[in-house]
Amino acid sequence: MNAPTSTRVPVRVTAGAQRLPIVVPVLAVGTFLMITTEFVIAGILPGVAADLHVSLGRAGLLITVFAIGMIIGSPLMTLLTIRLPKRRALLLALALFVAGHFVVALAEGFTVLLIARLVTAFATGAFWSVASVVAARAAGPQLGSRAQGVVGAGGSLGTVLGVPLGAFLAQAVGWRGTFWAIAAAAVVLAVLVARFVPRDAATGGHISIRGEFSGLRSGRLWLTLLACVTTSGGVVSAYSYIAPVLTDRAGIAAGLVPVVLTAFGVGSFIGTLLGGRLGDARPGLVTIVTPAASTVLLVLIGLVTDQPILTAVLVAVLGLFGLSANGVLIHTAVHAAGDAAPLGSALTVSAFNLGTAIGTALVGVLLDTTGVAGPALIGAGIVALTLIPTTLLATVAARQRRI
C-alpha cells in the first residue's frame, strides 16, 4: 500500500537528477542533535552527579529514562500529532525539545531533571519519526533509502562529533552549558525547518486512531520492526561494553579507547550513507549482508580480544557494517505501513530503542558469568537473529517482482 496522497510532501527532485532535496540534510541536522542529546549525558555524568549530589548509579537513570521516553513517546506523540501538517508537527516537537533543555539547564533537583529528560525524549522520538516520513516523501520512492541513510548518518555523526563536543563544552563552561548550547542549536534548526520543509495540508478529521492501528496489519512491517530490534540490540549491547574489552582484555591504554570508538563512529557514519545509497537498488541485499557481516565481526572480536591491534581494527570495521542498514529498514517500514506511515516510522524508533534496552540489560546481567568477551559473543547471537526477518522480507519481495 502506498503512502496517502493527502499528506504527501511535494517531491522536489526528479529521478534523473539523483539529487536529494535540501530538506533531507536539514532533517539530518535534527537527528544529529537528537542523538547528541541522548548520549551526551554519558560523557558528562560525573559532573551531573557531583553537582546534584547523587551517586553515579542514580545519575545513570538519566540515560535509562531517556530510552524509556523514546520507546513510549515516539508512537504516542505521533498519534497525538497525526492530524497536523508535518512541518507544524516538527516545529512543535522542536519547541518541546528546546523547553526540555531549558528545564534541564536550570533544574536544581534530580527529580525535575529526570522529568525534563523524559519530556525531551518524547520530543526527540516525535521529531525523528516525522522526519523519517518527510525525508522519504520529499526524496520520492527511488531515493527513499538514500534519504533515510542521510538522515540516519546525521545521528551517527552525533556519536562521532556531537557527544565529544558536548563533553568538551561541559569541561569548559559546566555541564549545564552543554544543554544551553543544544537548545540554542535546536532554535536555529527550527528556523531551517520553517524555511525548507515544504508546506503540506493537515490530514483532517477523517483520520482516526483506530484507522492508524488498522494500517499496522502489514506482516512486512512487523518483520521489519523485528529486524530493527535485533540489529540494534546486538550491535549496541556489544558496543556499550567495548571499553572494558579494549582495556582489560586487549590491553589497550585507556587514553586510546576514544580513538577506537571514534573509528567505530566514523565507520558507522560512512556505512549508513553507503547503506542508504545501495538500499534503493538492492534493499534485500543490504539488510542481509550487514547483519551477516556484523555477526562474523562480533564473533571474531569475542575470540581475539587478547590481540589489541586486531581487536581495534575489527571494532572499526564493525562500525562500517553494524547499523548501516537502519536507513533501509526505516524506509521499508514507512512503505510497508502505507496509510499508517507516520506511526510505522515511530515504531521503528521504539524498536531500535527496545532492542538497545533489552540487549544491554541482557549483557549486563550475564557479564559476570561471560567475562569481557561475553558482550561481543552475545551481541553476535542477537544480530544473527536479524537474518530471519530480513531473509523472509527479501524472499517475499523477490516473489512479488516475479508476479
Side-chain angles (χ1 to χ4, degrees), residues 339-393:
D339 289 342
L343 187 54
S345 174
L347 288 174
T348 63
V349 177
S350 295
F352 286 130
N353 282 274
L354 179 62
T356 298
I358 293 174
T360 52
L362 179 62
V363 170
V365 169
L366 298 177
L367 188 60
D368 291 337
T369 302
T370 61
V372 292
L377 296 177
I378 294 171
I382 298 174
V383 173
L385 295 175
T386 307
L387 293 170
I388 298 174
T390 56
T391 300
L392 288 173
L393 286 168

mmCIF file of all heavy atoms in Angstrom, residues 339-393:
data_model
loop_
_atom_site.group_PDB
_atom_site.id
_atom_site.type_symbol
_atom_site.label_atom_id
_atom_site.label_comp_id
_atom_site.label_asym_id
_atom_site.label_seq_id
_atom_site.Cartn_x
_atom_site.Cartn_y
_atom_site.Cartn_z
ATOM 1 N N ASP A 339 -0.879 3.731 4.820
ATOM 2 C CA ASP A 339 -1.599 4.869 5.385
ATOM 3 C C ASP A 339 -1.160 5.181 6.811
ATOM 4 O O ASP A 339 -1.412 6.274 7.311
ATOM 5 C CB ASP A 339 -3.111 4.597 5.370
ATOM 6 C CG ASP A 339 -3.678 4.632 3.957
ATOM 7 O OD1 ASP A 339 -2.996 5.200 3.077
ATOM 8 O OD2 ASP A 339 -4.763 4.085 3.738
ATOM 9 N N ALA A 340 -0.552 4.240 7.471
ATOM 10 C CA ALA A 340 -0.056 4.448 8.832
ATOM 11 C C ALA A 340 1.438 4.738 8.827
ATOM 12 O O ALA A 340 2.141 4.418 9.790
ATOM 13 C CB ALA A 340 -0.357 3.230 9.694
ATOM 14 N N ALA A 341 1.945 5.364 7.773
ATOM 15 C CA ALA A 341 3.381 5.603 7.630
ATOM 16 C C ALA A 341 3.988 6.353 8.819
ATOM 17 O O ALA A 341 5.046 5.950 9.321
ATOM 18 C CB ALA A 341 3.664 6.355 6.328
ATOM 19 N N PRO A 342 3.367 7.438 9.312
ATOM 20 C CA PRO A 342 3.968 8.119 10.470
ATOM 21 C C PRO A 342 4.090 7.209 11.690
ATOM 22 O O PRO A 342 5.116 7.211 12.372
ATOM 23 C CB PRO A 342 3.002 9.282 10.737
ATOM 24 C CG PRO A 342 2.346 9.532 9.422
ATOM 25 C CD PRO A 342 2.193 8.166 8.806
ATOM 26 N N LEU A 343 3.056 6.422 11.950
ATOM 27 C CA LEU A 343 3.116 5.519 13.102
ATOM 28 C C LEU A 343 4.110 4.393 12.852
ATOM 29 O O LEU A 343 4.822 3.958 13.769
ATOM 30 C CB LEU A 343 1.725 4.944 13.394
ATOM 31 C CG LEU A 343 1.599 4.104 14.674
ATOM 32 C CD1 LEU A 343 2.094 4.874 15.887
ATOM 33 C CD2 LEU A 343 0.159 3.655 14.870
ATOM 34 N N GLY A 344 4.186 3.926 11.621
ATOM 35 C CA GLY A 344 5.178 2.902 11.286
ATOM 36 C C GLY A 344 6.588 3.411 11.511
ATOM 37 O O GLY A 344 7.441 2.699 12.059
ATOM 38 N N SER A 345 6.850 4.658 11.124
ATOM 39 C CA SER A 345 8.149 5.262 11.363
ATOM 40 C C SER A 345 8.425 5.388 12.854
ATOM 41 O O SER A 345 9.535 5.107 13.331
ATOM 42 C CB SER A 345 8.204 6.647 10.701
ATOM 43 O OG SER A 345 9.392 7.322 11.032
ATOM 44 N N ALA A 346 7.408 5.804 13.609
ATOM 45 C CA ALA A 346 7.561 5.942 15.058
ATOM 46 C C ALA A 346 7.890 4.610 15.707
ATOM 47 O O ALA A 346 8.710 4.531 16.632
ATOM 48 C CB ALA A 346 6.282 6.513 15.670
ATOM 49 N N LEU A 347 7.285 3.548 15.222
ATOM 50 C CA LEU A 347 7.535 2.228 15.803
ATOM 51 C C LEU A 347 8.954 1.749 15.528
ATOM 52 O O LEU A 347 9.505 0.979 16.319
ATOM 53 C CB LEU A 347 6.510 1.221 15.270
ATOM 54 C CG LEU A 347 5.089 1.392 15.805
ATOM 55 C CD1 LEU A 347 4.126 0.441 15.100
ATOM 56 C CD2 LEU A 347 5.036 1.165 17.310
ATOM 57 N N THR A 348 9.563 2.192 14.430
ATOM 58 C CA THR A 348 10.972 1.819 14.212
ATOM 59 C C THR A 348 11.862 2.472 15.266
ATOM 60 O O THR A 348 12.812 1.853 15.752
ATOM 61 C CB THR A 348 11.467 2.229 12.807
ATOM 62 O OG1 THR A 348 11.419 3.645 12.657
ATOM 63 C CG2 THR A 348 10.641 1.577 11.716
ATOM 64 N N VAL A 349 11.559 3.715 15.621
ATOM 65 C CA VAL A 349 12.316 4.384 16.690
ATOM 66 C C VAL A 349 12.179 3.613 17.988
ATOM 67 O O VAL A 349 13.150 3.370 18.707
ATOM 68 C CB VAL A 349 11.837 5.840 16.861
ATOM 69 C CG1 VAL A 349 12.566 6.514 18.024
ATOM 70 C CG2 VAL A 349 12.054 6.633 15.575
ATOM 71 N N SER A 350 10.942 3.209 18.301
ATOM 72 C CA SER A 350 10.710 2.416 19.512
ATOM 73 C C SER A 350 11.434 1.084 19.434
ATOM 74 O O SER A 350 12.002 0.610 20.427
ATOM 75 C CB SER A 350 9.206 2.183 19.704
ATOM 76 O OG SER A 350 8.529 3.389 19.949
ATOM 77 N N ALA A 351 11.410 0.453 18.252
ATOM 78 C CA ALA A 351 12.041 -0.863 18.090
ATOM 79 C C ALA A 351 13.549 -0.790 18.300
ATOM 80 O O ALA A 351 14.142 -1.636 18.969
ATOM 81 C CB ALA A 351 11.718 -1.434 16.709
ATOM 82 N N PHE A 352 14.186 0.234 17.721
ATOM 83 C CA PHE A 352 15.632 0.394 17.903
ATOM 84 C C PHE A 352 15.971 0.571 19.386
ATOM 85 O O PHE A 352 16.918 -0.031 19.895
ATOM 86 C CB PHE A 352 16.150 1.584 17.105
ATOM 87 C CG PHE A 352 16.227 1.349 15.627
ATOM 88 C CD1 PHE A 352 15.679 2.259 14.732
ATOM 89 C CD2 PHE A 352 16.868 0.230 15.112
ATOM 90 C CE1 PHE A 352 15.755 2.052 13.360
ATOM 91 C CE2 PHE A 352 16.948 0.016 13.741
ATOM 92 C CZ PHE A 352 16.392 0.927 12.866
ATOM 93 N N ASN A 353 15.196 1.407 20.068
ATOM 94 C CA ASN A 353 15.461 1.653 21.485
ATOM 95 C C ASN A 353 15.108 0.450 22.354
ATOM 96 O O ASN A 353 15.781 0.184 23.356
ATOM 97 C CB ASN A 353 14.692 2.890 21.954
ATOM 98 C CG ASN A 353 15.354 4.186 21.523
ATOM 99 O OD1 ASN A 353 16.245 4.700 22.194
ATOM 100 N ND2 ASN A 353 14.928 4.712 20.385
ATOM 101 N N LEU A 354 14.072 -0.287 21.966
ATOM 102 C CA LEU A 354 13.719 -1.500 22.702
ATOM 103 C C LEU A 354 14.835 -2.527 22.586
ATOM 104 O O LEU A 354 15.213 -3.185 23.574
ATOM 105 C CB LEU A 354 12.412 -2.075 22.160
ATOM 106 C CG LEU A 354 11.913 -3.375 22.817
ATOM 107 C CD1 LEU A 354 11.635 -3.155 24.295
ATOM 108 C CD2 LEU A 354 10.662 -3.886 22.106
ATOM 109 N N GLY A 355 15.367 -2.683 21.382
ATOM 110 C CA GLY A 355 16.483 -3.604 21.192
ATOM 111 C C GLY A 355 17.681 -3.209 22.030
ATOM 112 O O GLY A 355 18.336 -4.065 22.657
ATOM 113 N N THR A 356 17.973 -1.905 22.073
ATOM 114 C CA THR A 356 19.085 -1.420 22.886
ATOM 115 C C THR A 356 18.867 -1.727 24.356
ATOM 116 O O THR A 356 19.772 -2.197 25.058
ATOM 117 C CB THR A 356 19.263 0.095 22.693
ATOM 118 O OG1 THR A 356 19.584 0.355 21.320
ATOM 119 C CG2 THR A 356 20.353 0.644 23.582
ATOM 120 N N ALA A 357 17.639 -1.468 24.839
ATOM 121 C CA ALA A 357 17.335 -1.703 26.253
ATOM 122 C C ALA A 357 17.451 -3.183 26.606
ATOM 123 O O ALA A 357 18.060 -3.554 27.625
ATOM 124 C CB ALA A 357 15.935 -1.188 26.569
ATOM 125 N N ILE A 358 16.896 -4.054 25.765
ATOM 126 C CA ILE A 358 16.926 -5.497 26.041
ATOM 127 C C ILE A 358 18.355 -6.026 25.935
ATOM 128 O O ILE A 358 18.822 -6.775 26.801
ATOM 129 C CB ILE A 358 16.001 -6.254 25.067
ATOM 130 C CG1 ILE A 358 14.538 -5.886 25.333
ATOM 131 C CG2 ILE A 358 16.195 -7.765 25.217
ATOM 132 C CD1 ILE A 358 13.573 -6.477 24.328
ATOM 133 N N GLY A 359 19.048 -5.658 24.875
ATOM 134 C CA GLY A 359 20.401 -6.162 24.647
ATOM 135 C C GLY A 359 21.369 -5.759 25.737
ATOM 136 O O GLY A 359 22.124 -6.589 26.268
ATOM 137 N N THR A 360 21.371 -4.476 26.100
ATOM 138 C CA THR A 360 22.294 -4.011 27.131
ATOM 139 C C THR A 360 21.960 -4.609 28.487
ATOM 140 O O THR A 360 22.852 -4.922 29.278
ATOM 141 C CB THR A 360 22.285 -2.478 27.220
ATOM 142 O OG1 THR A 360 20.932 -2.012 27.368
ATOM 143 C CG2 THR A 360 22.874 -1.852 25.969
ATOM 144 N N ALA A 361 20.656 -4.772 28.780
ATOM 145 C CA ALA A 361 20.268 -5.382 30.051
ATOM 146 C C ALA A 361 20.715 -6.841 30.114
ATOM 147 O O ALA A 361 21.225 -7.308 31.145
ATOM 148 C CB ALA A 361 18.761 -5.281 30.236
ATOM 149 N N LEU A 362 20.548 -7.576 29.018
ATOM 150 C CA LEU A 362 20.945 -8.984 28.974
ATOM 151 C C LEU A 362 22.454 -9.134 29.161
ATOM 152 O O LEU A 362 22.915 -9.978 29.955
ATOM 153 C CB LEU A 362 20.516 -9.595 27.642
ATOM 154 C CG LEU A 362 20.873 -11.077 27.421
ATOM 155 C CD1 LEU A 362 20.189 -11.945 28.457
ATOM 156 C CD2 LEU A 362 20.482 -11.517 26.014
ATOM 157 N N VAL A 363 23.203 -8.319 28.451
ATOM 158 C CA VAL A 363 24.660 -8.381 28.579
ATOM 159 C C VAL A 363 25.088 -8.003 29.993
ATOM 160 O O VAL A 363 25.980 -8.624 30.580
ATOM 161 C CB VAL A 363 25.330 -7.461 27.543
ATOM 162 C CG1 VAL A 363 26.826 -7.323 27.840
ATOM 163 C CG2 VAL A 363 25.129 -8.010 26.136
ATOM 164 N N GLY A 364 24.450 -6.979 30.566
ATOM 165 C CA GLY A 364 24.790 -6.560 31.918
ATOM 166 C C GLY A 364 24.563 -7.651 32.941
ATOM 167 O O GLY A 364 25.376 -7.861 33.850
ATOM 168 N N VAL A 365 23.457 -8.382 32.805
ATOM 169 C CA VAL A 365 23.137 -9.464 33.740
ATOM 170 C C VAL A 365 24.138 -10.605 33.620
ATOM 171 O O VAL A 365 24.549 -11.217 34.623
ATOM 172 C CB VAL A 365 21.703 -9.980 33.494
ATOM 173 C CG1 VAL A 365 21.451 -11.273 34.257
ATOM 174 C CG2 VAL A 365 20.691 -8.917 33.899
ATOM 175 N N LEU A 366 24.559 -10.912 32.384
ATOM 176 C CA LEU A 366 25.431 -12.065 32.144
ATOM 177 C C LEU A 366 26.921 -11.725 32.174
ATOM 178 O O LEU A 366 27.752 -12.620 32.024
ATOM 179 C CB LEU A 366 25.095 -12.690 30.781
ATOM 180 C CG LEU A 366 23.673 -13.251 30.628
ATOM 181 C CD1 LEU A 366 23.472 -13.764 29.210
ATOM 182 C CD2 LEU A 366 23.409 -14.351 31.638
ATOM 183 N N LEU A 367 27.266 -10.452 32.380
ATOM 184 C CA LEU A 367 28.655 -10.034 32.251
ATOM 185 C C LEU A 367 29.574 -10.761 33.235
ATOM 186 O O LEU A 367 30.683 -11.171 32.881
ATOM 187 C CB LEU A 367 28.761 -8.523 32.448
ATOM 188 C CG LEU A 367 30.130 -7.895 32.156
ATOM 189 C CD1 LEU A 367 30.525 -8.138 30.700
ATOM 190 C CD2 LEU A 367 30.097 -6.396 32.450
ATOM 191 N N ASP A 368 29.111 -10.915 34.456
ATOM 192 C CA ASP A 368 29.950 -11.584 35.454
ATOM 193 C C ASP A 368 30.209 -13.045 35.088
ATOM 194 O O ASP A 368 31.250 -13.604 35.444
ATOM 195 C CB ASP A 368 29.290 -11.511 36.837
ATOM 196 C CG ASP A 368 29.287 -10.086 37.390
ATOM 197 O OD1 ASP A 368 30.131 -9.291 36.941
ATOM 198 O OD2 ASP A 368 28.441 -9.784 38.259
ATOM 199 N N THR A 369 29.279 -13.652 34.387
ATOM 200 C CA THR A 369 29.427 -15.060 34.005
ATOM 201 C C THR A 369 30.268 -15.214 32.751
ATOM 202 O O THR A 369 31.127 -16.103 32.666
ATOM 203 C CB THR A 369 28.046 -15.694 33.762
ATOM 204 O OG1 THR A 369 27.262 -15.564 34.949
ATOM 205 C CG2 THR A 369 28.180 -17.163 33.392
ATOM 206 N N THR A 370 30.052 -14.346 31.778
ATOM 207 C CA THR A 370 30.705 -14.498 30.477
ATOM 208 C C THR A 370 32.079 -13.849 30.411
ATOM 209 O O THR A 370 32.889 -14.209 29.559
ATOM 210 C CB THR A 370 29.831 -13.895 29.370
ATOM 211 O OG1 THR A 370 29.645 -12.489 29.630
ATOM 212 C CG2 THR A 370 28.465 -14.557 29.329
ATOM 213 N N GLY A 371 32.352 -12.875 31.280
ATOM 214 C CA GLY A 371 33.604 -12.149 31.188
ATOM 215 C C GLY A 371 33.539 -11.081 30.116
ATOM 216 O O GLY A 371 32.508 -10.907 29.449
ATOM 217 N N VAL A 372 34.644 -10.362 29.905
ATOM 218 C CA VAL A 372 34.630 -9.218 28.991
ATOM 219 C C VAL A 372 34.464 -9.621 27.536
ATOM 220 O O VAL A 372 34.105 -8.787 26.691
ATOM 221 C CB VAL A 372 35.911 -8.378 29.144
ATOM 222 C CG1 VAL A 372 35.943 -7.697 30.490
ATOM 223 C CG2 VAL A 372 37.154 -9.236 28.936
ATOM 224 N N ALA A 373 34.709 -10.879 27.195
ATOM 225 C CA ALA A 373 34.489 -11.322 25.810
ATOM 226 C C ALA A 373 33.012 -11.609 25.555
ATOM 227 O O ALA A 373 32.590 -11.718 24.392
ATOM 228 C CB ALA A 373 35.317 -12.567 25.514
ATOM 229 N N GLY A 374 32.234 -11.730 26.634
ATOM 230 C CA GLY A 374 30.827 -12.093 26.505
ATOM 231 C C GLY A 374 29.972 -11.134 25.710
ATOM 232 O O GLY A 374 29.156 -11.564 24.879
ATOM 233 N N PRO A 375 30.089 -9.799 25.921
ATOM 234 C CA PRO A 375 29.231 -8.868 25.186
ATOM 235 C C PRO A 375 29.282 -9.057 23.674
ATOM 236 O O PRO A 375 28.242 -9.025 23.005
ATOM 237 C CB PRO A 375 29.774 -7.496 25.600
ATOM 238 C CG PRO A 375 30.321 -7.719 26.953
ATOM 239 C CD PRO A 375 30.901 -9.101 26.933
ATOM 240 N N ALA A 376 30.472 -9.255 23.125
ATOM 241 C CA ALA A 376 30.588 -9.422 21.671
ATOM 242 C C ALA A 376 29.919 -10.710 21.214
ATOM 243 O O ALA A 376 29.217 -10.728 20.185
ATOM 244 C CB ALA A 376 32.055 -9.418 21.255
ATOM 245 N N LEU A 377 30.102 -11.798 21.958
ATOM 246 C CA LEU A 377 29.524 -13.083 21.559
ATOM 247 C C LEU A 377 28.003 -13.074 21.730
ATOM 248 O O LEU A 377 27.273 -13.607 20.881
ATOM 249 C CB LEU A 377 30.157 -14.210 22.376
ATOM 250 C CG LEU A 377 31.667 -14.406 22.156
ATOM 251 C CD1 LEU A 377 32.195 -15.499 23.070
ATOM 252 C CD2 LEU A 377 31.960 -14.737 20.693
ATOM 253 N N ILE A 378 27.517 -12.472 22.821
ATOM 254 C CA ILE A 378 26.061 -12.359 22.998
ATOM 255 C C ILE A 378 25.481 -11.458 21.915
ATOM 256 O O ILE A 378 24.429 -11.757 21.323
ATOM 257 C CB ILE A 378 25.734 -11.798 24.393
ATOM 258 C CG1 ILE A 378 26.166 -12.788 25.482
ATOM 259 C CG2 ILE A 378 24.237 -11.506 24.516
ATOM 260 C CD1 ILE A 378 26.075 -12.229 26.879
ATOM 261 N N GLY A 379 26.169 -10.356 21.629
ATOM 262 C CA GLY A 379 25.710 -9.462 20.560
ATOM 263 C C GLY A 379 25.653 -10.163 19.222
ATOM 264 O O GLY A 379 24.725 -9.949 18.429
ATOM 265 N N ALA A 380 26.630 -11.028 18.968
ATOM 266 C CA ALA A 380 26.635 -11.781 17.707
ATOM 267 C C ALA A 380 25.390 -12.657 17.598
ATOM 268 O O ALA A 380 24.764 -12.745 16.531
ATOM 269 C CB ALA A 380 27.897 -12.640 17.612
ATOM 270 N N GLY A 381 25.036 -13.306 18.711
ATOM 271 C CA GLY A 381 23.846 -14.159 18.700
ATOM 272 C C GLY A 381 22.574 -13.377 18.435
ATOM 273 O O GLY A 381 21.688 -13.839 17.709
ATOM 274 N N ILE A 382 22.488 -12.182 19.005
ATOM 275 C CA ILE A 382 21.290 -11.351 18.799
ATOM 276 C C ILE A 382 21.227 -10.844 17.363
ATOM 277 O O ILE A 382 20.173 -10.896 16.713
ATOM 278 C CB ILE A 382 21.286 -10.169 19.790
ATOM 279 C CG1 ILE A 382 21.232 -10.674 21.239
ATOM 280 C CG2 ILE A 382 20.094 -9.249 19.518
ATOM 281 C CD1 ILE A 382 21.381 -9.578 22.278
ATOM 282 N N VAL A 383 22.362 -10.350 16.851
ATOM 283 C CA VAL A 383 22.375 -9.830 15.479
ATOM 284 C C VAL A 383 22.055 -10.934 14.474
ATOM 285 O O VAL A 383 21.371 -10.696 13.473
ATOM 286 C CB VAL A 383 23.746 -9.202 15.157
ATOM 287 C CG1 VAL A 383 23.817 -8.818 13.678
ATOM 288 C CG2 VAL A 383 23.979 -7.977 16.002
ATOM 289 N N ALA A 384 22.530 -12.146 14.735
ATOM 290 C CA ALA A 384 22.281 -13.255 13.809
ATOM 291 C C ALA A 384 20.787 -13.498 13.622
ATOM 292 O O ALA A 384 20.339 -13.923 12.538
ATOM 293 C CB ALA A 384 22.961 -14.525 14.312
ATOM 294 N N LEU A 385 19.992 -13.205 14.658
ATOM 295 C CA LEU A 385 18.541 -13.379 14.556
ATOM 296 C C LEU A 385 17.936 -12.456 13.507
ATOM 297 O O LEU A 385 16.849 -12.733 12.986
ATOM 298 C CB LEU A 385 17.883 -13.113 15.917
ATOM 299 C CG LEU A 385 18.238 -14.094 17.049
ATOM 300 C CD1 LEU A 385 17.610 -13.634 18.364
ATOM 301 C CD2 LEU A 385 17.774 -15.506 16.698
ATOM 302 N N THR A 386 18.631 -11.359 13.191
ATOM 303 C CA THR A 386 18.130 -10.420 12.181
ATOM 304 C C THR A 386 17.975 -11.091 10.824
ATOM 305 O O THR A 386 17.118 -10.694 10.013
ATOM 306 C CB THR A 386 19.092 -9.222 12.055
ATOM 307 O OG1 THR A 386 19.312 -8.651 13.341
ATOM 308 C CG2 THR A 386 18.525 -8.158 11.132
ATOM 309 N N LEU A 387 18.781 -12.113 10.558
ATOM 310 C CA LEU A 387 18.735 -12.778 9.260
ATOM 311 C C LEU A 387 17.397 -13.474 9.011
ATOM 312 O O LEU A 387 17.019 -13.681 7.856
ATOM 313 C CB LEU A 387 19.874 -13.792 9.148
ATOM 314 C CG LEU A 387 21.285 -13.180 9.115
ATOM 315 C CD1 LEU A 387 22.344 -14.264 9.253
ATOM 316 C CD2 LEU A 387 21.478 -12.400 7.818
ATOM 317 N N ILE A 388 16.681 -13.811 10.073
ATOM 318 C CA ILE A 388 15.376 -14.481 9.892
ATOM 319 C C ILE A 388 14.369 -13.537 9.254
ATOM 320 O O ILE A 388 13.841 -13.816 8.164
ATOM 321 C CB ILE A 388 14.866 -15.045 11.231
ATOM 322 C CG1 ILE A 388 15.836 -16.094 11.776
ATOM 323 C CG2 ILE A 388 13.465 -15.649 11.048
ATOM 324 C CD1 ILE A 388 15.475 -16.597 13.164
ATOM 325 N N PRO A 389 14.068 -12.375 9.868
ATOM 326 C CA PRO A 389 13.084 -11.487 9.218
ATOM 327 C C PRO A 389 13.572 -10.881 7.913
ATOM 328 O O PRO A 389 12.776 -10.731 6.970
ATOM 329 C CB PRO A 389 12.844 -10.400 10.279
ATOM 330 C CG PRO A 389 14.048 -10.430 11.147
ATOM 331 C CD PRO A 389 14.486 -11.857 11.181
ATOM 332 N N THR A 390 14.859 -10.544 7.820
ATOM 333 C CA THR A 390 15.326 -9.901 6.579
ATOM 334 C C THR A 390 15.344 -10.872 5.406
ATOM 335 O O THR A 390 15.063 -10.476 4.258
ATOM 336 C CB THR A 390 16.716 -9.287 6.762
ATOM 337 O OG1 THR A 390 17.642 -10.280 7.221
ATOM 338 C CG2 THR A 390 16.674 -8.141 7.767
ATOM 339 N N THR A 391 15.651 -12.144 5.665
ATOM 340 C CA THR A 391 15.600 -13.141 4.591
ATOM 341 C C THR A 391 14.164 -13.360 4.132
ATOM 342 O O THR A 391 13.884 -13.481 2.930
ATOM 343 C CB THR A 391 16.206 -14.473 5.061
ATOM 344 O OG1 THR A 391 17.574 -14.259 5.445
ATOM 345 C CG2 THR A 391 16.164 -15.511 3.950
ATOM 346 N N LEU A 392 13.237 -13.394 5.083
ATOM 347 C CA LEU A 392 11.818 -13.531 4.730
ATOM 348 C C LEU A 392 11.348 -12.334 3.911
ATOM 349 O O LEU A 392 10.622 -12.488 2.917
ATOM 350 C CB LEU A 392 10.971 -13.666 5.998
ATOM 351 C CG LEU A 392 11.079 -14.994 6.751
ATOM 352 C CD1 LEU A 392 10.328 -14.918 8.075
ATOM 353 C CD2 LEU A 392 10.525 -16.135 5.900
ATOM 354 N N LEU A 393 11.760 -11.130 4.317
ATOM 355 C CA LEU A 393 11.376 -9.930 3.579
ATOM 356 C C LEU A 393 11.919 -9.963 2.154
ATOM 357 O O LEU A 393 11.213 -9.626 1.192
ATOM 358 C CB LEU A 393 11.892 -8.682 4.300
ATOM 359 C CG LEU A 393 11.152 -8.270 5.571
ATOM 360 C CD1 LEU A 393 11.952 -7.216 6.331
ATOM 361 C CD2 LEU A 393 9.765 -7.737 5.221
#
